[in-house]
Amino acid sequence: MDEAASQLERDHVHSVYEKIAPYFNDSRYKAWPKVKQFLLEQEPGSIVADVGCGNGKYLHINEDIFKLGCDVCRPLVDSAWSRGHEVQLCDGLRLPYRDGCFDAVLSIAVIHHMSTKERRIRAIKEMARTLRVGGRIMIYVWAMEQKRRKFEKQDIFIPWNPNPPLSSALRQRGNGTQSVSDDSASSDKHRKVRSTSSMVDEGDLISPGQQKQQRLWFFSRSLDSVLDFTSLTVSRSSSSTLQTPVDEASESRSRRTSSRGLIRQMSSLFSSSSRTSLEEDVFISDPNEQVHKNDNRSSGNGNETVPLELVHDCSSVPLPDLVSYQRDQSTLEGHVEVDGKSSQQEPLRRQESTASLLESDGMSGQSSEQLKDSCLRYYHVFREGELTQLIQNHVDELHVLHTYLDHANWCVVAEKVQVWKV
Amino acid sequence: MKLLTHNMLTSHVKGVTKGYPLIIKATEVKVNELEFNSQFVSRMIPKLEWSALIQAAEWLGHSQDLPSTLIPDYENDEEFLRKVHRILLEVEVLEGCLQCPESGREFPISKGVPNMLLNEGE
């Protein structure tokens, strides 16, 4: 399973970041204030590592400490280096640093890209290894619980859009550094704008009308499971406006669009739309019109659901099913999952709030090109307490000091402690 | 790659126990000028593996007569601190590689960035 996990990460984390690296730019990727504060609190002469540093946005903070960054994505690392930072290319699971050499370590929005619990634990342990006793680590991961929206599952794919629009409200504030599409005024923007002095939660700027939007993201089954087959679900939670009315009792028939067709559709949905959110935002939302357009297109094929086989392509690697997990989820959410063993024949069922389709087993991944166009990134979003528990139960050498929710991220600050082995 | 960074780096090839320090084979070295901060340097020194630093400096031909063991009361020796400042922060390896002293595995340094990624199974 570790091979499956690392393949998933290669396809849906590493290669995506390599692709989107040129589009990262600092104006839309500012430092989180609490992270900045953590760095500023370090004693002069400290050595701090930013593991998963991306383009190095934290590496300039605090001139009195020595910071080094590392990441697995070469273009991002090169970008950080060109800004004058000390950076290395490496893997978070095998850090090339000697034991106990850092006074502090940052892991900001990194381990949520790791596709199994075991790997997430390993990553934390690796960072703990490089921390000196008494040193502190700050870990940020995306939260499943959000202020205004809710992921229904923890393992998801989120598309990337390089051109998130500014909301009209933000434009009025003279923040228009980015090009905005003409009809963006009506579209939903979950874009967070950050400056060093204030944080603006995009949600506050959205009018109520805009809030009733389609939300679109893709679920994968967790890799942490016992069964072994290819299955992916795409779920759309909508408060309204699918063209075809859906109620709890209705079911749609099994759909088998080709993965190419699906991918094309999804690609066009996301690439043509300038409405999807900033990559740091947790949700993608589409304006009603966009979805209706999509539905118009797809209703031509008699297909009223968002085709899901695309995600087939996300896994040329089987994603094991977590049947019992799914059942728990389904009882919670009124969401019926299908046992993947007979995934090829399973009917699709659409509930009031979610539509899910199972990916068929037999298709081979031919459309990786189109897939990469949609740049789906894998995330395991964390429940409240999950990160803390992970550390408490599996990482003896770290002692959790603080846990808090910071703008849709769960954060833990922990201290390295001496572990006495008997 | 600065030598301060190199002092933290180790070979993490599977099975290797003596992967530190990595042998520097530099093909392009640059010396920058950086503002000297004596407090910064003197606080950094206890965190270093001193002998690894001396060795690294030698490999780059920048030994500067640094002592092989730390002198007592170095915090007040500005001349000494300036030498350390230079070797830690101003000398930079732009191209070359880092070699694991045990396995011989070479990690390339390109455009100042060491590539410490391991292959599957390494």
Side-chain angles (χ1 to χ4, degrees):
Chain A
M1 180 160 69
D2 205 51
E3 229 183 85
S6 78
Q7 180 74 48
L8 174 64
E9 289 162 22
R10 261 201 297 279
D11 293 341
H12 295 288
V13 180
H14 306 165
S15 67
V16 175
Y17 277 109
E18 283 196 24
K19 207 169 156 58
I20 67 184
Y23 303 104
F24 269 36
N25 73 66
D26 279 333
S27 68
R28 58 181 271 181
Y29 209 47
K30 304 239 190 277
W32 291 102
K34 289 202 165 80
V35 179
K36 185 171 172 177
Q37 195 188 337
F38 178 82
L39 287 168
L40 291 172
E41 282 168 358
Q42 299 303 315
E43 278 187 22
S46 292
I47 305 184
V48 180
D50 184 348
V51 178
C53 65
N55 60 1
K57 71 179 187 183
Y58 294 110
L59 295 174
H60 70 284
I61 298 170
N62 194 342
E63 284 174 1
D64 296 326
I65 63 178
F66 180 69
K67 299 134 295 193
L68 54 79
C70 65
D71 203 289
V72 74
C73 174
R74 184 182 281 282
L76 287 176
V77 164
D78 285 345
S79 166
W81 189 82
S82 66
R83 290 164 223 262
H85 304 307
E86 276 293 281
V87 281
Q88 301 86 51
L89 259 173
C90 73
D91 187 322
L93 295 174
R94 316 267 303 268
L95 293 176
Y97 308 112
R98 52 180 170 88
D99 295 358
C101 64
F102 296 131
D103 297 293
V105 173
L106 288 178
S107 170
I108 308 301
V110 180
I111 66 172
H112 56 205
H113 283 310
M114 295 188 172
S115 52
T116 68
K117 180 177 168 185
E118 188 247 341
R119 286 163 81 87
R120 296 186 279 269
I121 294 169
R122 270 164 59 193
I124 297 175
K125 284 179 94 74
E126 257 298 87
M127 291 186 283
R129 174 185 71 74
T130 62
L131 205 48
R132 64 157 172 88
V133 172
R136 295 193 178 179
I137 178 170
M138 172 178 264
I139 306 178
Y140 264 58
V141 291
W142 279 13
M144 190 177 178
E145 308 87 346
Q146 304 279 323
K147 242 197 313 189
R148 278 185 180 71
R149 42 235 169 177
K150 189 178 165 301
F151 282 125
E152 282 131 44
K153 300 211 186 188
Q154 291 188 266
D155 296 281
I156 56 180
F157 289 100
I158 295 187
W160 159 267
N161 184 301
N163 298 306
L166 287 172
S167 75
S168 51
L170 291 174
R171 257 188 304 162
Q172 281 157 25
R173 287 154 57 124
N175 237 344
T177 48
Q178 225 156 341
S179 66
V180 185
S181 66
D182 285 338
D183 46 349
S184 61
S186 62
S187 54
D188 184 28
K189 280 128 208 126
H190 288 266
R191 181 168 191 262
K192 291 181 201 236
V193 174
R194 290 182 201 94
S195 64
T196 49
S197 54
S198 65
M199 306 267 288
V200 176
D201 185 349
E202 176 66 25
D204 299 328
L205 300 168
I206 297 169
S207 70
Q210 290 170 349
Q211 283 183 17
K212 263 209 281 183
Q213 302 289 347
Q214 298 295 337
R215 312 206 187 290
L216 197 63
W217 60 88
F218 303 97
F219 297 140
S220 92
R221 305 280 173 101
S222 165
L223 268 179
D224 294 308
S225 83
V226 289
L227 299 181
D228 188 24
F229 66 96
T230 306
S231 69
L232 284 161
T233 57
V234 172
S235 181
R236 171 162 60 193
S237 114
S238 76
S239 39
S240 49
T241 45
L242 289 176
Q243 282 215 344
T244 349
V246 179
D247 60 48
E248 261 160 327
S250 77
E251 300 177 357
S252 61
R253 281 173 294 291
S254 170
R255 305 260 178 241
R256 296 275 205 81
T257 42
S258 72
S259 56
R260 281 210 176 105
L262 172 60
I263 289 162
R264 240 180 272 125
Q265 228 169 343
M266 294 314 305
S267 293
S268 59
L269 180 66
F270 289 109
S271 59
S272 62
S273 162
S274 53
R275 294 162 176 75
T276 50
S277 21
L278 192 57
E279 67 91 20
E280 284 182 60
D281 294 332
V282 210
F283 291 81
I284 308 297
S285 35
D286 278 298
N288 293 335
E289 312 116 7
Q290 197 64 17
V291 171
H292 286 172
K293 278 187 216 148
N294 186 45
D295 284 351
N296 281 333
R297 269 202 302 275
S298 44
S299 60
N301 323 334
N303 182 358
E304 69 226 276
T305 62
V306 175
L308 290 171
E309 273 95 328
L310 130 139
V311 219
H312 145 83
D313 207 70
C314 296
S315 54
S316 31
V317 165
L319 290 184
D321 185 28
L322 192 58
V323 173
S324 55
Y325 171 77
Q326 294 303 330
R327 290 217 179 102
D328 288 342
Q329 287 302 306
S330 63
T331 44
L332 286 173
E333 302 153 13
H335 187 140
V336 179
E337 293 298 313
V338 185
D339 179 356
K341 283 204 169 100
S342 42
S343 61
Q344 305 224 9
Q345 272 89 45
E346 290 304 330
L348 301 169
R349 295 175 189 195
R350 195 189 305 180
Q351 304 291 317
E352 176 181 69
S353 61
T354 57
S356 61
L357 290 167
L358 277 178
E359 179 46 2
S360 79
D361 239 308
M363 298 161 95
S364 60
Q366 291 136 11
S367 343
S368 44
E369 215 25 64
Q370 289 99 319
L371 176 69
K372 276 170 180 135
D373 287 341
S374 48
C375 281
L376 295 172
R377 284 172 302 154
Y378 170 82
Y379 285 86
H380 170 90
V381 292
F382 281 69
R383 295 175 179 281
E384 178 169 7
E386 183 183 339
L387 180 58
T388 307
Q389 269 173 42
L390 207 66
I391 296 173
Q392 285 170 342
N393 298 343
H394 299 280
V395 188
D396 290 339
E397 56 271 38
L398 286 181
H399 170 70
V400 174
L401 295 173
H402 314 293
T403 300
Y404 56 89
L405 184 67
D406 185 0
H407 284 82
N409 293 272
W410 283 115
C411 168
V412 165
V413 176
E415 185 174 301
K416 170 85 177 270
V417 295
Q418 189 81 52
V419 177
W420 302 105
K421 292 201 178 2
V422 181
Chain B
M1 182 202 69
K2 301 187 184 197
L3 292 190
L4 178 45
T5 302
H6 169 263
N7 203 262
M8 309 299 136
L9 289 173
T10 181
S11 166
H12 50 324
V13 173
K14 216 182 276 185
V16 162
T17 52
K18 295 195 178 69
Y20 181 89
L22 290 157
I23 304 165
I24 307 178
K25 297 182 172 179
T27 53
E28 192 183 328
V29 177
K30 188 172 154 211
V31 181
N32 307 302
E33 225 180 86
L34 242 74
E35 199 184 317
F36 172 67
N37 180 337
S38 65
Q39 189 200 49
F40 183 88
V41 178
S42 74
R43 280 173 182 247
M44 206 53 77
I45 288 172
K47 302 179 194 212
L48 304 171
E49 287 289 329
W50 185 256
S51 54
L53 178 67
I54 298 301
Q55 200 157 42
E58 273 168 26
W59 284 324
L60 295 184
H62 281 268
S63 327
Q64 296 182 103
D65 309 313
L66 280 168
S68 54
T69 49
L70 271 176
I71 53 173
D73 198 39
Y74 58 77
E75 304 91 352
N76 299 314
D77 187 338
E78 187 176 307
E79 199 191 315
F80 171 77
L81 291 176
R82 279 186 181 275
K83 284 185 187 168
V84 177
H85 164 84
R86 187 175 149 90
I87 196 66
L88 273 183
L89 301 166
E90 292 186 333
V91 176
E92 207 179 347
V93 179
L94 292 178
E95 302 286 333
C97 73
L98 297 170
Q99 187 177 42
C100 171
E102 189 178 317
S103 69
R105 209 285 200 187
E106 287 186 353
F107 298 95
I109 302 176
S110 156
K111 293 186 284 187
V113 175
N115 181 348
M116 309 303 294
L117 288 168
L118 292 166
N119 301 319
E120 301 282 333
E122 255 189 301

